[in-house]
Amino acid sequence: MKNVLLTVLILAFIATGLFASGEPEAGDEPIVLKAADTHAIDYPTVLGILRMGELLDEWTDGRITIEMYPSKQLGEEKETIEQTQLGAIDIVRTSVGPVGEIVPELNVLSLPYIFRSAEHSYKVVDGEIGDELLAKVEDHGFVGLGWYASGARSFYNTQRPIRSVEDLDGLKFRVMQNEVFVDMVNALGASATPMAYGEVYTALSTGVIDGAENNYPSFYTSNHYEVANYYTQDEHLRVPEIILFSKKTWDGLSADDQALIRRAAAESVPYQREQWDMMAAEARRQMVDAGVEIITDIDKQPFIDAMAPVYAKYAEDLSEWIARIQAVD
Ligand code: GTR
């Protein structure tokens, strides 16, 4: 009798799924990861995530796949970051810029002229500092999987060629949605309007703003070059792109699957950077062909000097990170 009761109890437990709780196991259940990107399907960041998906597909015989939603199909960057925190999106590839509003330590990567060159920025994000910053996102609902290339951001506008800090005076620039970029533009004597990326083209065309700032590929693929004819290569920012995974989804995966996803992300990084270099060169060629005036003969030092108030404001929270980045040679 006792045995029968025990059997009934065990069956009841199994039926209610109580035995199924606890550590997730790697099983045969297909896992489809939903990924968002603001850029179109052929942009280097999207190609990077697609490569990550191909690797996962191959390594798991199709058990883990990535379903890519490019071109803001799931919303503007800020919304997709929030959706990823909530677990409605599994992977978002975004600029670090807007993420700094949620993970303040990341703002160190958004400080103007914090990096001396592309090489310096790669050394920082690929080293100890990059690993520590990736770990910081875990307190905010994300798992950080890696850093993609994004080149340098420079100012462009519809009004006049900018050759000096003085030339920026009075112009209105769109910036990414993070206070640090508003402070940056204000320090240069211009005014800043934080705005979603998808709204910039119309804002430029209607004169709501005079300009914006971005790298060559974004300037070109967003068609901003059609309305903004002056691009000044002041290279004030080198904000990297980041691959963020939803912590909510992550915690439901087995340790083996988590390791596979980390590896696939890591292996997609060099591929994305190669694609980046090709796209940056191509975008620049297209800008020249389209008649954009690219101003390269500028003295960056006065731009760097003008950033002192921005550094003063963020120094209290970020001084150790700033010093460590500057010490990387
Ligand atoms: C691009 C970046 C996008 C987006 C955009 C922007 O360089 O790749 O993720 O952040 O800039 O300015 O909003």
Side-chain angles (χ1 to χ4, degrees), residues 3-255:
N3 277 350
V4 175
L5 240 182
L6 200 66
T7 313
V8 170
L9 264 178
I10 289 174
L11 285 175
F13 266 110
I14 292 172
T16 54
L18 285 177
F19 278 1
S21 63
E23 266 293 286
E25 301 263 322
D28 302 327
E29 281 298 297
I31 297 173
V32 181
L33 301 168
K34 208 173 182 185
D37 197 304
T38 196
H39 293 299
I41 194 79
D42 55 351
Y43 197 88
T45 52
V46 180
L47 296 177
I49 300 295
L50 289 176
R51 167 56 61 99
M52 188 181 156
E54 279 163 21
L55 292 172
L56 286 169
D57 193 337
E58 188 187 312
W59 295 341
T60 64
D61 282 328
R63 187 174 56 83
I64 307 181
T65 50
I66 293 182
E67 203 166 80
M68 185 75 219
Y69 292 85
S71 304
K72 336 183 159 41
Q73 284 173 39
L74 302 180
E76 292 280 0
E77 208 149 76
K78 195 162 175 281
E79 285 98 61
T80 55
I81 294 167
E82 288 160 6
Q83 291 294 308
T84 305
Q85 264 182 316
L86 297 173
I89 293 173
D90 304 309
I91 302 171
V92 63
R93 189 298 310 162
T94 168
S95 167
V96 160
V99 190
E101 287 279 307
I102 302 170
V103 187
E105 292 86 353
L106 286 184
N107 276 338
V108 73
L109 305 176
S110 291
L111 289 174
Y113 297 108
I114 184 77
F115 298 116
R116 296 183 296 274
S117 61
E119 294 67 39
H120 182 214
S121 74
Y122 287 152
K123 254 191 166 173
V124 169
V125 295
D126 293 341
E128 232 172 59
I129 300 175
D131 290 347
E132 284 173 42
L133 287 172
L134 281 184
K136 290 283 173 206
V137 308
E138 299 211 11
D139 302 336
H140 302 273
F142 306 109
V143 174
L145 293 183
W147 311 98
Y148 279 170
S150 191
R153 296 176 75 104
S154 292
F155 288 110
Y156 52 86
N157 81 97
T158 57
Q159 302 297 307
R160 55 181 184 250
I162 305 297
R163 297 201 161 80
S164 66
V165 173
E166 290 69 38
D167 290 337
L168 289 165
D169 191 45
L171 294 180
K172 200 185 261 183
F173 288 95
R174 173 269 174 173
V175 291
M176 284 187 280
Q177 289 152 299
N178 181 332
E179 203 181 322
V180 67
F181 305 126
V182 175
D183 296 329
M184 169 187 83
V185 168
N186 287 343
L188 290 163
S191 64
T193 309
M195 191 186 283
Y197 188 47
E199 290 168 17
V200 180
Y201 186 89
T202 308
L204 280 171
S205 323
T206 55
V208 168
I209 50 173
D210 301 307
E213 46 87 54
N214 223 314
N215 49 49
Y216 292 140
S218 287
F219 175 64
Y220 175 64
T221 57
S222 60
N223 296 326
H224 296 174
Y225 73 96
E226 291 173 2
V227 270
N229 274 303
Y230 308 103
Y231 187 103
T232 295
Q233 209 176 294
D234 59 277
E235 302 182 323
H236 52 267
L237 291 174
R238 288 188 179 275
V239 190
E241 314 279 19
I242 189 168
I243 313 167
L244 291 177
F245 201 97
S246 170
K247 182 102 175 36
K248 243 186 166 165
T249 310
W250 188 260
D251 290 343
L253 298 171
S254 70

